[in-house]
C-alpha cells in the first residue's frame, strides 16, 4: 500500500523496544506519563502506515482540497504586482516587466487539487518526524491575451516536523514544529503543449511570479490544517508515536 520511497517498519522493533526498556535504569523517567508506558508492548506493526494514513485522512476531512481550490491566487497576484512597493517589489527587481502580465489576468484559479501519498522520515536522532505532504494542483489561467484557458500543473511539497513536547504536568504531546514548503519542490508546467512565443513569455513570467507567491500562500493554509489534524489523531496512535520518539527508537527506516 505504501511505497513511499521505501519506508519499512522495523520488524524486530518490539523485541528491541522491550530489551531496551529492560536494560534501561531510566525506565521510570518521572516526566514520562505512567499511562504512556503500558502502551509500548502493543506498538502496532505498521506504525508508519497508520500514522501516514491517519494524517492523510485528517487533512482530507479537514477540507484540504477545498482549501486549496479556494486559494485567492488572482487577488494575491494582483496585490503583489499592484504597487512597486508591493510583495514582489524587492523579489522581482524589474517589476515593470510583469505588471502588464498581471493586469491582463482575468482569472487564475485552482480547479483541481490532489493530495499524493505522504512521506515520512525520522530525524537522525530519532526524536522527530518529518512529514512530506505532496500536493498536485491544476491552475486555470484566463487572459484575453490567449483565446483558450491555459492549464498549469503545479506540484509542491510541504514538509511538517512533528515533535514531542512536555507540558508543566509532565505530559507528553505530539506537536507541530517547523512547517514549510520544501525548498526546490515547486514544479510548474504547462499542460496544454506548445504556445506561440509571446504566450510563452507570458507563461514564463506568470510562472516566475507564482514561484514567488505560491509556496508561502499554500504553506499558510496547509500548516494550520496539519496542526488541526494532529489534535484529532487517535489517542492510542499518538501514544505509540510519542513513545517511539521519546525513546528515540527508529520506526521509520530508509532503504
Ligand atoms: C516531494 O515529495 C515526494 C513524496 O515524498 C517525493 O517523492 C519528491 O521527491 C518530493 N519532491 C521534492 C522536490 O522534494
Ligand atoms: C498549533 O495549534 C495550537 C493551538 O491549538 C497553537 O497553540 C500552536 O501555536 C499551533 N502550532 C503551530 C506550529 O501553528
Ligand atoms: C519578471 C519576469 O519573469 N520576466 C520575464 C518574462 O519573460 C521573459 C521571456 O521569457 C523573460 O526574459 C523575463 O525575464
Amino acid at each position: 500500500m505504501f511505497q513511499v520511497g521505501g519506508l519499512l517498519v522495523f520488524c524486530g522493533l518490539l523485541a528491541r523496544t522491550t530489551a531496551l526498556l529492560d536494560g534501561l535504569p531510566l525506565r521510570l523517567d518521572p516526566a514520562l506519563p505512567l499511562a504512556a508506558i503500558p502502551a509500548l508492548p502493543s506498538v502496532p506493526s505498521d506504525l508508519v502506515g497508520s500514522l501516514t494514513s491517519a494524517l492523510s485522512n485528517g487533512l482530507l476531512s479537514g477540507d484540504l482540497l477545498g482549501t486549496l481550490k479556494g486559494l485567492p491566487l488572482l487577488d494575491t497576484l494582483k496585490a503583489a504586482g499592484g504597487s512597486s512597493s508591493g510583495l514582489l517589489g524587492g523579489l522581482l527587481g524589474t517589476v515593470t516587466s510583469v505588471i502588464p502580465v498581471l493586469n491582463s489576468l482575468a482569472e487564475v484559479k485552482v480547479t483541481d487539487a490532489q493530495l499524493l501519498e505522504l512521506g515520512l522520515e525520522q530525524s537522525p536522532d530519532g526524536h522527530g518526524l518529518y512529514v512530506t505532504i505532496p500536493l498536485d494542483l491544476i491552475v486555470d489561467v484566463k487572459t484575453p491575451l490567449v483565446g483558450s484557458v491555459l492549464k498549469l500543473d503545479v506540484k509542491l511539497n510541504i514538509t511538517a516536523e512533528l515533535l514531542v513536547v512536555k507540558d508543566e504536568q509532565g505530559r507528553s504531546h505530539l506537536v507541530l514544529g517547523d512547517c514549510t514548503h520544501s525548498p526546490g519542490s515547486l514544479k510548474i508546467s504547462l499542460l496544454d503543449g506548445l504556445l506561440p512565443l509571446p504566450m510563452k513569455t507570458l507563461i514564463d513570467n506568470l510562472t516566475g511570479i507564482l514561484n514567488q507567491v505560491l509556496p508561502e500562500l499554500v504553506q499558510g493554509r496547509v500548516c494550520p490544517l496539519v496542526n488541526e489534524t494532529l489534535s484529532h489523531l487517535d489517542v492510542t496512535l499518538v501514544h505509540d508515536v510519542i513513545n517511539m520518539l521519546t525513546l528515540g527508537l527508529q520506526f521509520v527506516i530508509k532503504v
Side-chain angles (χ1 to χ4, degrees):
M1 185 172 72
F2 282 91
Q3 355 161 323
V4 193
L7 297 176
L8 287 179
V9 173
F10 185 43
C11 297
L13 187 60
L14 210 52
R16 193 173 147 203
T17 305
T18 316
L20 265 181
L21 275 183
D22 285 349
L24 220 55
L26 297 176
R27 170 172 186 166
L28 292 180
D29 174 0
L32 199 64
L34 277 177
I37 291 174
L40 257 183
S42 65
V43 167
S45 61
D46 189 8
L47 193 50
V48 170
S50 308
L51 181 58
T52 50
S53 56
L55 288 171
S56 196
N57 291 337
L59 287 171
L60 291 174
S61 59
D63 199 25
L64 172 70
L65 304 183
T67 302
L68 292 170
K69 287 185 193 167
L71 285 177
L73 277 185
L74 183 59
D75 288 349
T76 305
L77 290 174
K78 296 232 171 193
S83 71
S84 54
S85 61
L87 176 61
L88 294 179
L91 296 173
L92 290 185
T94 53
V95 184
T96 39
S97 68
V98 298
I99 286 182
V101 173
L102 291 173
N103 285 339
S104 78
L105 297 174
E107 190 178 292
V108 183
K109 196 174 183 343
V110 178
T111 51
D112 192 23
Q114 284 191 45
L115 172 63
L116 306 180
E117 202 164 271
L118 297 190
L120 202 63
E121 273 187 49
Q122 200 161 357
S123 64
D125 67 5
H127 294 305
L129 287 174
Y130 299 102
V131 184
T132 305
I133 304 166
L135 304 170
D136 192 353
L137 314 176
I138 303 296
V139 177
D140 281 11
V141 178
K142 279 189 201 157
T143 158
L145 300 178
V146 185
S148 55
V149 176
L150 296 172
K151 284 190 176 295
L152 300 178
D153 182 11
V154 177
K155 293 189 194 313
L156 177 67
N157 285 356
I158 301 289
T159 303
E161 182 187 23
L162 307 188
L163 297 169
V164 177
V165 295
K166 289 201 170 101
D167 63 19
E168 303 83 41
Q169 286 83 42
R171 284 181 309 220
S172 297
H173 301 271
L174 188 64
V175 301
L176 181 62
D178 273 353
C179 183
T180 178
H181 53 94
S182 321
S185 77
L186 179 66
K187 299 271 181 311
I188 302 181
S189 54
L190 183 65
L191 280 182
D192 290 344
L194 290 173
L195 284 173
L197 198 56
M199 298 307 124
K200 177 160 181 337
T201 304
L202 181 138
I203 291 299
D204 283 354
N205 281 297
L206 191 58
T207 302
I209 304 164
L210 284 173
N211 262 304
Q212 301 296 339
V213 300
L214 196 70
E216 298 282 333
L217 189 60
V218 172
Q219 172 185 325
R221 302 298 169 102
V222 173
C223 293
L225 260 181
V226 177
N227 199 13
E228 182 73 16
T229 299
L230 279 184
S231 61
H232 295 130
L233 285 183
D234 174 76
V235 177
T236 310
L237 173 63
V238 171
H239 266 167
D240 290 341
V241 172
I242 287 179
N243 285 335
M244 299 302 284
L245 293 180
T246 303
L247 294 167
L249 295 177
Q250 288 285 315
F251 65 104
V252 182
I253 309 285
K254 261 187 128 174
V255 203

